[in-house]
Amino acid sequence: MNVVVIGAQWGDEGKGKIVDYLAGDAQIIVRFSGGANAGHTIVTGKEQYALHLIPSGVLYPDKMVVLGAGMVIDPTALFNELDMLRERGIDTTGRVFISDRAHLVLPRYIEIDKARDQARKKPIGTTGRGIGITYSMKSDRDGIRIADLSWKEKIAELESGDRDFITPYIDRLKAMSIDLAVYLMHRKNAQVLFEGAQGALLDLDLGTYPYVSSGMSCAAGAAIGGCVGPRRLDKILGVFKAYSTRVGNGPVPSEFDDHAEGAEGSLCRFIRETGREYGVTTGRPRRCGYLDLVALRYACLTNSIDSLVMTHLDVYDTLEEIKACIAYRIGDRVVENFPASIEDLNRAQPILRTFAGWKRPLSNALTYEEFPVEAMEYIEFIERFCETPIDMVSVGYDRKETIIRKSPWTR
């Protein structure tokens, strides 16, 4: 069975924890997009790991993990991450592979990336890791793939600085290289987890363009970056937070005014600190806002999300009331669908619905039935609004703080 996990918002939804949890029942975990601009935090007991390139399932000693064809890979970052895992007692020998169709990030791309974003009149707010430039080189057909490392003519064509950078890594990268299509063809009966990066609203085509990532963070990207046909994908899970966050520039219609002196500013600061809303890759404070159900429903629709996974619900444990955005007011119009126009999204004012808080720690619950009725009402309203079931709820950072209503590994 092939299960896809994507972010259903602007990234940072808690996908790393969910992939790590689901990997317990998978044999292979394939990350299908993005690069070292992504960051997943995984907590197991007293241990915390920050991963940027390697799929989250690597922490299980018997799992195979693959960096897919849709990824762009910085060799220095990759081997630093592998060294970090080894130093912390995680043996990755013979378990980490790279699709031979994945592209490489070169140091020159990183410098171009930073300079280009700084030169923009309205910076996008990239992580400066060279990701966008690498995808641009790929589209221009000037990139270099893992498969090209054996192509002497191609290596000779590179600029001298690029060639000097790549040469020490060639043998190590080739040793990890596989034909992912063939690899998965021979493992048709395996349970495979396809891990996305960023979120659906940062997808190059479906997201808030131009304030998007350069790769495919939508569910369709799993088929391309995972080297399987779309009909081989059995289930699509969308991970979302109980509120909205975003790093970098671009519209967030339900964003709090964190400079406000009143309740909204206090709420933003509370959620940022309680939810640890700082970027894993950059350390930047994340922008926070009410849960945007208009945007979430759009993500469900455009990605054929079969079930949702809700995270960070426990952040709301102490609040008297909770609000969610159910429509936008744009000028004199009430808008119920997610617009493509950035101008409309920038002008949009959230229309909010208020829910009662539960004033109890959700982490004490072992089953969904033990949740306070107020928490259930919030969850079930979201399900009705998005016409999509919420089958998993995370109420803490640890693996065990996860409530399963329906196993994702059921068809």
Side-chain angles (χ1 to χ4, degrees):
M1 184 174 181
N2 295 326
V3 173
V4 179
V5 177
I6 64 166
Q9 294 166 307
W10 284 280
D12 308 308
E13 301 95 346
K15 296 182 296 299
K17 176 198 169 173
I18 301 306
V19 170
D20 172 71
Y21 183 91
L22 295 176
D25 292 317
Q27 284 84 52
I28 304 166
I29 300 90
V30 178
R31 176 153 158 213
F32 62 82
S33 66
N37 56 334
H40 292 165
T41 301
I42 303 165
V43 179
T44 59
K46 295 181 180 180
E47 295 293 320
Q48 180 170 310
Y49 300 85
L51 301 176
H52 301 274
L53 283 167
I54 299 172
S56 303
V58 74
L59 298 183
Y60 291 88
D62 58 338
K63 310 302 178 184
M64 303 296 162
V65 300
V66 184
L67 284 69
M71 289 190 67
V72 292
I73 299 165
D74 179 337
T76 302
L78 172 63
F79 289 113
N80 284 344
E81 201 163 301
L82 287 169
D83 290 344
M84 177 274 293
L85 289 170
R86 185 179 62 253
E87 290 166 3
R88 297 185 62 180
I90 306 297
D91 184 5
T92 63
T93 306
R95 297 197 299 116
V96 181
F97 304 101
I98 308 173
S99 167
D100 56 9
R101 289 175 166 84
H103 278 246
L104 292 173
V105 179
L106 302 177
R108 179 166 54 89
Y109 299 171
I110 295 172
E111 297 307 313
I112 296 171
D113 189 8
K114 293 176 180 177
R116 183 172 292 182
D117 203 44
Q118 290 172 1
R120 288 186 172 104
K121 291 182 178 179
K122 294 184 178 180
I124 292 170
T126 75
T127 59
R129 300 297 177 102
I131 306 304
I133 302 302
T134 309
Y135 278 117
S136 178
M137 292 291 187
K138 175 181 177 179
S139 297
D140 286 342
R141 290 155 291 182
D142 290 323
I144 181 165
R145 306 171 302 160
I146 298 294
D148 300 330
L149 296 177
S150 298
W151 185 5
K152 293 182 180 179
E153 183 180 353
K154 179 71 173 180
I155 298 298
E157 290 174 355
L158 296 175
E159 294 186 13
S160 60
D162 294 342
R163 189 167 53 251
D164 291 345
F165 170 75
I166 285 179
T167 299
Y169 292 112
I170 288 178
D171 289 341
R172 297 173 75 185
L173 290 168
K174 286 168 61 176
M176 300 168 68
S177 170
I178 60 170
D179 183 329
L180 182 53
V182 173
Y183 181 83
L184 293 179
M185 178 183 71
H186 290 305
R187 293 161 178 81
K188 287 183 178 178
N189 296 322
Q191 300 218 125
V192 183
L193 195 58
F194 291 88
E195 173 185 3
Q198 286 84 45
L201 300 178
L202 292 176
D203 182 77
L204 184 61
D205 293 297
L206 301 176
T208 52
Y209 186 90
Y211 302 99
V212 291
S213 187
S214 299
M216 296 185 71
S217 50
C218 61
I224 299 170
C227 296
V228 298
R231 282 189 275 181
R232 289 277 307 280
L233 304 178
D234 298 301
K235 184 171 281 189
I236 297 166
L237 309 183
V239 184
F240 76 103
K241 283 176 183 166
Y243 47 88
S244 297
T245 66
R246 180 170 192 160
V247 171
N249 297 327
V252 182
S254 63
E255 185 173 11
F256 302 133
D257 181 357
D258 60 350
H259 298 294
E261 293 298 325
E264 193 167 288
S266 297
L267 183 58
C268 180
R269 290 185 285 275
F270 169 80
I271 286 180
R272 184 174 288 150
E273 297 305 319
T274 307
R276 306 183 199 176
E277 296 300 346
Y278 295 88
V280 177
T281 301
T282 64
R284 288 182 292 184
R286 295 177 184 139
R287 299 157 62 192
C288 302
Y290 302 107
L291 175 61
D292 188 335
L293 290 175
V294 180
L296 183 61
R297 182 171 59 190
Y298 169 78
C300 291
L301 176 67
T302 53
N303 291 275
S304 297
I305 291 174
D306 294 296
S307 73
L308 288 164
V309 180
M310 187 181 205
T311 66
H312 288 236
L313 185 58
D314 54 298
V315 171
Y316 279 152
D317 280 353
T318 62
L319 300 185
E320 295 284 349
E321 65 179 28
I322 296 156
K323 294 180 181 179
C325 171
I326 58 170
Y328 307 140
R329 188 174 301 282
I330 303 175
D332 58 359
R333 295 178 294 140
V334 172
V335 176
E336 297 181 344
N337 296 308
F338 193 72
S341 167
I342 296 299
E343 184 178 26
D344 279 351
L345 288 169
N346 283 336
R347 294 170 56 219
Q349 297 298 315
I351 296 174
L352 302 174
R353 174 172 175 138
T354 301
F355 302 83
W358 42 90
K359 302 283 288 181
R360 283 169 50 190
L362 293 180
S363 59
N364 291 340
L366 299 177
T367 65
Y368 179 72
E369 288 68 29
E370 295 177 45
F371 274 11
V373 65
E374 295 85 358
M376 289 184 177
E377 288 173 352
Y378 186 53
I379 291 169
E380 290 164 15
F381 179 86
I382 296 167
E383 291 181 309
R384 292 192 301 272
F385 191 95
C386 295
E387 299 182 7
T388 308
I390 297 174
D391 289 339
M392 295 175 63
V393 183
S394 171
V395 293
Y397 293 95
D398 200 272
R399 283 177 186 162
K400 64 184 179 181
E401 294 174 317
T402 310
I403 304 297
I404 305 296
R405 300 176 70 194
K406 180 180 177 181
S407 171
W409 295 107
T410 56
R411 294 182 186 272

